[in-house]
Each structure stands twice: as structure tokens, then as C-alpha cells.
Amino acid sequence: MTHKQDSIFKSPNSSSYSSPSPSLPFKSKKTHDDSPLPLRIADILTFNGDFLDELLMMEEELGCRVWERSTHCYPPNRTVARWFSGLRRKRVKESKRDKLGGDRIEQVKCSKNGLNSQDSSNSASQSAHSGHHNKEASLNLGVGCCLLYLIAASKNELDKMFKMRKEMEKLLENVREELQKKDGRSKPCETNDVCAYSTTDVVDSVDFDNQLSPQVFTPSSVLPGSSTITVCDQSLRCETPKQGECSEGRDKLEAELEVELQRLQLNFDTVENTAKHPQKKGRRVTNEKTATSKSQIVSAGEVVAFVFENQAAGSEEHCGVPPHELERRLHELLESRQQEQIRELEAALKCVKHKLREKEMEVSWWKDSARLISRHLPESSELSSHHHAKLLKSAMYCTRSNANKGRMNCNGNCKFPFCFLVISIISTRYTNNLAMAEGSSGSDFTLDSIRKALIRQEDTIVFSLIERAKFPMNSALYNQILNLVPGFSGPLVDFIAKETEAVQAKAGRYVNPEENPFFPDNLPPSLVPKHNYSQVLHPGAASVSVNKAIWNMYLNQLLPLFIDAGDDGNYASTAASDLSCLQALSRRIHYGKFVAEIKFRDAPHDYEPLIRAKDTDALMKLLTDERVEEMVKKRVEKKAIIFGQDVSLSNNVETGNFKVDPSVVVRLYDEWVIPLTKLVEVKYLLRRLD
Ligand SMILES: C=C(O[C@@H]1C=C(C(=O)O)C=C[C@H]1O)C(=O)O
């Protein structure tokens, strides 16, 4: 350690202090940075007065920065020097004034050890010549004592300074060590240092005089397919003391690292590719398996790759990053990649959704086109069939000639493209299916037309209730255990309903999409020529039925509300009447399918997400129209009042004597008909996208 400031904190034992050179020119007493050397007692006593004067003047010029910095007053030796100088000047003046001995001025010569004796002998010799000299002698004696005291004091000061210097040195040493440690930790290995090495090579060639870190990156730091590779702790400096000895080993290490880096880079690329092309994952895993037995998982491979990528990218200056930093960066990298993938997938999903919507719009456009065309096709179904055949022939001809000639050439027969043929067929089919009962024709398939049909059905329902009200309860009809019909187990009403439905099915009743059988199992097929009803319902949802609920509600809850107790034995008529009521209610409630279809068509974007989410509550809320419901209830009440009256020629209206209590009709709609209709709507919608 070199001490640049040893002129300030000079040890008394140091050579420069113990052998001062009084003959040194004054300039040599300054350090190279112009700091004045301390003025020592020996100097003061040795140098002649002029020199002291000169010295003091110089010091004043320099400003004594050092002393001013360290202490706030002049040290004792300086004070003595000043005092000596003043004394000398005074003496010279006096000598001149006395003109004794000419101009000779007795200079005070001080030796290191005999200052006082010399000085006192000089004074004594002079006092012999004059009285002044006696005074001077006593004065000098005093001064000598003073000097001795001051020398002692200076020694103490110097000792203190020495101690301080020692402490400062220690302090500096500590600070330097601290700095070196910090540097070692934060600074990467120097160019000649070996950061990663093979243990086998190390044993042979590399002599590390520093400890290797026990912190070894295993297993992620273990390079696949190689002998154990250890990454040394970056906080330690790995030195290679003998360049020649280990150069061969280092070359080997470098070569090995290069190979490993390339392999890792390959692995890394493979991982990246796999992320971009997930279908190649299987192959990648196989590669990894064969490539390494230690680093089986992607993340481990990535860690190593990342470490060495960093090291490679960082060049020699940045061959090391702390492990936790690497880990953090790796996590960031993985996270950003995953986020990127999520973003890509989301974008793809959006794109697919968009395409789906486009397709749906296209389909609805085709349907609309078909409907539009169908309105303008006057042909009957037979004609239409003929028309199909003609168009099909033309289309086939066109396709064939297209294939033969490579271009459309139908000799005037093929004026439309093939797609128009399809439209034509679909539209004709629609034309054939346009017959919708109850005032809602297929050509007028709107919510208004549906509601009109529902209003018309109110009449049917009210009248059927009035009809049923003619009969007493006739409970035997509904008895489960009576077994009134031999060979049929169950209530009589079930038997009558089943048989009626079977007959009606043969007559084609259930070909009509408005009709839903109560006993659909084993129902015979229609025997009559098929009537083409309008097929406006979605095929996947057309079979929705809540007839069981209607049946139970009617027999168990509604009948007791408006039918008198009793049994008149007229079971068949009563059962027929029951079936009329049940069928009217079923038709009305299942009309909800048409309502739902038209509502869906009017606002598919509102319904689709709810349907996909199977959010029944939201669907129910969306399709509900409370204003309409209130009107329905008021209207059926009015109808029950009007239709339930006995009409007489006298125009006297018997108030309060209705065939069916209007409040029961209102309750029927409020509690069962409207809610069940909406249930059918929701059920239908939930299957609308099937
Ligand atoms: C049938 C409709 O849907 C719902 C059911 C109603 C009903 O059963 O009378 C009335 C209004 C709506 O809440 C309609 O909007 O017409």
C-alpha cells in the first residue's frame, strides 16, 4: 500500500523523518502536490535566521492550507519558529543600534542535541562583552525551557497523529476490502477468468486459488448431454494464476461450452417453435428426451438456455447474472410469452366468432331470399316438382358441360347458376309449407300474426272451459285404480285421451307443428295425404313439450276451481270435453315455440349469447312483455264474462251468473297459461342453436 499523504501523517520511525536533510533546498521540502512539509524543531534550530524568514514567508504565501484544514491554529514548532524569527530581528536591530561588533550578527546555531548548551554558552560569551548579553542569556535559558516543553508537547501531538494515521490506514484498508468484495459480487468475471468449467478439466488444469461457490445451479445448470458442468458463483473471482498451464484446459472448456451453447440454442429454438406450432409438441418432447436425461422439462431447458444465452449475449464483460435475477427474467419471459399466446388465441376466437356470425347472416340471407322468391313463384307443389326436375336437369347439364368445356355454356337453358336452383327448391318447399292454422300463415310469420292467433285461441279455451263446466266432476274418470276399461290399466280419462289421440294421429293431427300429443309414445303415423304445414320452427327445438305439466295442472288444479262436485256418469262426454280443454291449452301454450322463433329471428344477437350461456333467467327476462300479459289477462276475463253469459232475447244480462267464473279464467292465464307459454319459449330457445 502506498501512502500518498505520508507527508502529513508521517511516522517518526519512517526513514524520511529519522534522517532529515537540513541541506535540502527549501523546494524539496514541499511535496509534489505543493503541500508544505511540516516544519520540524531540528529545522528551526539548524537553519539560519534568513532561511527561517524565507521559510515562514513562503508558508504564509502558501496559506498553510494543511494546518488550517487539520487544526485551527499553528502547531508549536511553527510558533517557536516565528518566535525565533522575531527574536532574531530584534537582536539585529539592537546590534545595529549599539554598533557593537560591526555588522556581525551572531547567528543562533542549534544542534539536535546541544541546543541549550550551545545557545547558553554563546550567550554567556556575549554577556561577557555586554550587559545586554546577560539578559539575553537568561532569556535564552527560558526560551530553552520553553523549547523543551514544546518539544515534549510536539512529541505528544505527533504520537496522537501517528495513532490517528494508523486508524485511518485501518479504515482505508477496510473500505478498500469492502469495495473489492462489492466489485467482485457485482462485476462479472474478467476476461481471463473462467466462469464455467468442467470439473474434470478443473482437476487437471485449472488451479483456483479462490474458493468455488457452493451455490451450484443444479439441476437447471447441469447441461444436458455433458459431464457435470458447474457455473461458479459470480461473487467470487476465479483466477488462473498460471496462464500457460491452464490455457490448454481453458481451450477445452471454451470448446465444450460452445458445443453446449449450440445445443442449448437448438433446444431453445425447438421450444420456441413448439410454442408457435403446438402440433409438433410430441416430436419435441421425444427430442428432449433423447437429448438430455437431466433436463426433462421445458422450463429447465429454458433456464439453461436462458442462462447461457444471457452469458453469450453479455459478452465477456457480462458473463454472469445473479441467479435470482435470471430466475426473475425467466419468469418475465415465460409470462410475456404466455400472455402473447393468450392474446393470439383470443384474437383467433374473435375471428372465428366473427366468421360464424357472418355464416349465420349468410344462412339467414339465403332463407330470406328463398322466402322472397317463394312468394313470387305461382306454381303449385306439383308444378314445383316439375320445375325442380327441369331445373335439376339444367343444372346437371350445366355441370356436365362445364366439366367438359371448362366454362358455363348451357345453350340458353342455363340462365341461373346452380345456387339459384337450390334457392328455387328451398323456396318452393317454403311455398308448400306456408299453411299455418289459426290465422298465421307462413307468408305472414310475424309477432303480430302470432299474437292474433293467440287471441283467437283465447276464445277456444274459454268456450272449452264453458263446455266442460256443463258436467260435474265425475271423479271416476280420473281414478287410478278403478280400471273401468278391461285390459287397460289407468284412469278412464287416460284411455279416452290415448285412443282419441291415436285416431287423430292417423288423421294427421300431429303432423301439424301446432299440435302436441299428450301420449306421444306408440302413436300411429298419419294415414291421410300429408299436408305441408309451414316449417318455421327450428328442427332441433320443434319437439319441445310441456304437456305433462299441462295435464297435471288441468286435472289437479284447474278442474276443482270451476267444476261442481258430482258424478252424472257421463264419463265419455266429460272426458272428450276434458280433452278439448287440454288440447286447446296445449296448443296455446306450445305456441310459445312460434313466439320464441320469431323473437329470436328479430334479435338473434341479443338471444345468442344468452342461449350459449344457457342463462334461462336472462332469456326469460328478455322475452317477457308484461304489458302484453296484462292485456291478455284483461281480455280473457272479458271473454269469460261475455261468453259465459246466457244470451236471451230480452237483452237482460244476468250479472254474476257466468258459466265459468271469469276470475278462474284470469287465474288460469296468470298462474299457468302465460308462465307455461314462457317456459316453452325458453326451452325452445335453449335448443334453438342445436
Ligand atoms: C307470448 C308472448 O310472450 C310472452 C308471453 C305472453 C303470453 O303468454 O301471453 C305474453 C307476453 C310475453 O311475456 C308475447 O310476447 O306475445
Side-chain angles (χ1 to χ4, degrees), residues 447 450-451 454 458 588-589 591-592 595-596 599 620-630 632-633 635 669 672-678 681:
L447 190 57
I450 304 288
R451 281 179 176 158
L454 290 174
E458 289 164 5
R588 198 283 179 194
I589 289 166
Y591 236 74
V595 176
K599 283 181 179 174
M620 187 66 89
K621 205 174 165 190
L622 187 61
L623 58 83
T624 296
D625 191 332
E626 285 176 0
R627 189 186 57 84
V628 174
E629 288 178 19
E630 286 307 309
V632 169
K633 283 185 268 182
R635 194 168 49 241
Y669 266 80
W672 298 296
V673 174
I674 293 175
L676 283 171
T677 306
K678 292 203 287 186
E681 289 182 49

Side-chain angles (χ1 to χ4, degrees), residues 421-490:
L421 171 73
V422 178
I423 295 171
S424 182
I425 292 168
I426 294 167
S427 65
T428 314
R429 189 164 169 72
Y430 264 78
T431 314
N432 296 336
N433 291 342
L434 281 180
M436 257 179 89
E438 307 281 350
S440 175
S441 71
S443 59
D444 190 19
F445 184 57
T446 61
L447 190 57
D448 265 0
S449 67
I450 304 288
R451 281 179 176 158
K452 272 182 192 160
L454 290 174
I455 292 168
R456 179 67 185 84
Q457 287 174 42
E458 289 164 5
D459 303 354
T460 313
I461 290 167
V462 173
F463 276 112
S464 67
L465 293 175
I466 290 170
E467 279 300 286
R468 175 62 182 88
K470 283 195 294 187
F471 306 104
M473 184 55 85
N474 288 332
S475 302
L477 254 182
Y478 317 107
N479 195 303
Q480 295 272 357
I481 50 171
L482 276 179
N483 287 332
L484 296 174
V485 182
F488 182 85
S489 67

